[in-house]
Amino acid sequence: MNFSQTVRPPPSRGSTGSDFARLSRKIRAAGLMDRRPGYYTLRIIVVTALYAAGWTAFVLIGDTWWTLLTAGFLAFVFGQVALLAHDLAHRQVFRLRKASEVSGRVAGNLGIGMGYGWWQDKHTRHHANPNHEDLDPDLDPDILVWTQDQARAARGLPRLLGRSQAFLFFPLLTLEGFNLHVSGVRSLFDRSLKHRTWEGILLATHFAAYLGPLFLALPPGKAVVFLLVHQCLFGVYLGSIFAPNHKGMPVLRGADRPDFLRRQVLTSRNVRGGRFTDIVLGGLNYQIEHHLFPSMPSPHLRGARTIVRRYCQEIGVSYLETSLADSYRQTLASLHSAGAPLRMSRTA
């Protein structure tokens, strides 16, 4: 299948949303939308302890190249903080909006230097229209092109990179951590951003607390190397979590807007794995279930998978689940296909 072309999912059976309503009743009857305060209390404690342990190790190791091991460890920890901020944004942790937003800003802005308000707005729009060429901000051709139509219209950097973007994808992920920081700072100049002052204070505090000790504890050369290793690995980790979810799945455009269930299931991909995969990917390996029930606590997603997969089989909706390695293969194949017009124009 050529994923760069528009794919029209089958029409909904019955009235709009009826299939999802029946599925939702099954999920709620199984108790899978219930809060998990004990789980999230433990998770927050563990992630906070790992965060503190990483920076404690940085101080204790001091001025040696062994400190780069700490940079790698903290890249993983920052990824775990980002995943926790993601769950907070979806109100999986707290029922009240204010508690979710305050905690999300502490984790995002203060913890890892990510503009929480900017990211939440972008991510909300993605959830509403996943893999829709015109409506999903994650398909904006700002650096890479995601469809052949985007490739034909590409100018500047996307046109330059698009020819070889499948080979450049993982190297470019090393910049994702820096992109989060820059986008967060840029969002502060947007007057529509809520709580701009607090977002700015928390971001400034993060950068001061991060860069100050880094350049005080290490010579400039080592400090720069530490920063590059940490931020680049952080970016690769984040990108490796999110890339398997939708890239290479059917792309919608224009008036292609099937009912909610099909819009979420047909554009999403699950990744098989055990508990280790659940931890490393933060539960986003159950991407189909997460998109159907964004506020479902992540430890319930594994149980929801069985119900959702069986239900999709009953109503004839394709449900894709694959290995992590194959999800990356599909992602890269899709990127290579999307860039085909640029390669053809070069040889014409």
Side-chain angles (χ1 to χ4, degrees):
M1 177 181 292
N2 186 348
F3 291 121
S4 65
Q5 303 301 318
T6 299
V7 176
R8 296 181 180 273
S12 172
R13 293 172 35 152
S15 61
T16 302
S18 61
D19 286 335
F20 175 71
R22 287 191 289 270
L23 173 61
S24 183
R25 286 194 292 269
K26 291 175 181 286
I27 291 293
R28 292 185 181 279
L32 296 173
M33 297 303 296
D34 295 347
R35 300 287 169 179
R36 291 289 300 273
Y39 164 83
Y40 277 110
T41 298
L42 178 61
R43 182 171 165 186
I44 290 170
I45 290 173
V46 169
V47 171
T48 302
L50 291 175
Y51 192 97
W55 288 115
T56 300
F58 169 79
V59 171
L60 294 177
I61 292 173
D63 181 11
T64 76
W65 288 110
W66 289 106
T67 195
L68 295 183
L69 295 176
T70 307
F73 174 75
L74 283 170
F76 169 77
V77 174
F78 269 45
Q80 288 294 308
V81 175
L83 289 169
L84 190 55
H86 170 271
D87 287 10
L88 288 162
H90 283 294
R91 298 173 69 178
Q92 297 175 18
V93 184
F94 303 109
R95 188 179 303 277
L96 298 179
R97 181 183 300 275
K98 185 172 183 180
S100 300
E101 290 183 349
V102 170
S103 301
R105 287 190 179 90
V106 170
N109 293 59
L110 183 61
I112 59 176
M114 177 187 76
Y116 178 81
W118 158 79
W119 175 84
Q120 185 183 36
D121 173 72
K122 176 176 178 287
H123 193 62
T124 299
R125 288 185 285 123
H126 157 72
H127 264 265
N129 294 283
N131 255 30
H132 194 292
E133 186 176 15
D134 307 313
L135 301 173
D136 185 352
D138 288 352
L139 287 191
D140 287 345
D142 48 358
I143 295 179
L144 303 178
V145 293
W146 305 104
T147 69
Q148 291 190 0
D149 285 345
Q150 288 182 350
R152 295 184 186 98
R155 296 291 183 271
L157 193 58
R159 186 173 187 85
L160 177 65
L161 300 180
R163 301 182 181 94
S164 306
Q165 61 183 14
F167 302 98
L168 297 173
F169 180 68
F170 281 104
L172 285 172
L173 288 183
T174 59
L175 303 177
E176 184 58 28
F178 296 104
N179 176 57
L180 283 180
H181 303 319
V182 172
S183 297
V185 171
R186 288 177 60 186
S187 72
L188 298 177
F189 296 94
D190 181 358
R191 293 185 179 275
S192 67
L193 178 69
K194 296 180 180 179
H195 307 292
R196 281 197 305 159
T197 300
W198 277 112
E199 293 243 351
I201 290 173
L202 291 172
L203 280 176
T205 302
H206 169 82
F207 294 137
Y210 180 91
L211 295 174
L214 183 61
F215 282 89
L216 286 174
L218 299 176
K222 282 182 183 173
V224 170
V225 172
F226 181 99
L227 184 149
L228 290 174
V229 170
H230 176 221
Q231 295 296 329
C232 288
L233 290 179
F234 172 46
V236 171
Y237 180 34
L238 277 186
S240 298
I241 291 171
F242 288 96
N245 301 338
H246 304 281
K247 306 310 181 189
M249 296 301 291
V251 174
L252 308 176
R253 64 149 60 110
D256 288 332
R257 295 205 64 195
D259 69 287
F260 179 79
L261 183 144
R262 288 166 177 79
R263 188 161 73 244
Q264 304 300 335
V265 175
L266 294 174
T267 61
S268 303
R269 175 199 295 114
N270 274 14
V271 173
R272 290 191 296 268
R275 297 295 181 183
F276 178 76
T277 304
D278 293 358
I279 294 172
V280 173
L281 299 185
L284 296 183
N285 42 314
Y286 305 107
Q287 189 67 195
I288 294 173
E289 289 71 28
H290 170 60
H291 261 258
L292 287 170
F293 304 98
S295 62
M296 177 183 289
S298 59
H300 286 321
L301 292 170
R302 173 182 283 267
R305 167 184 166 272
T306 302
I307 297 173
V308 172
R309 184 173 61 172
R310 183 185 302 118
Y311 184 77
C312 286
Q313 291 173 347
E314 291 174 359
I315 65 174
V317 173
S318 177
Y319 180 104
L320 181 60
E321 188 174 62
T322 186
S323 67
L324 184 61
D326 194 50
S327 72
Y328 292 141
R329 182 195 64 77
Q330 292 179 30
T331 296
L332 296 178
S334 172
L335 284 169
H336 189 68
S337 175
L342 294 174
R343 294 190 298 275
M344 292 174 63
S345 66
R346 191 175 187 178
T347 59

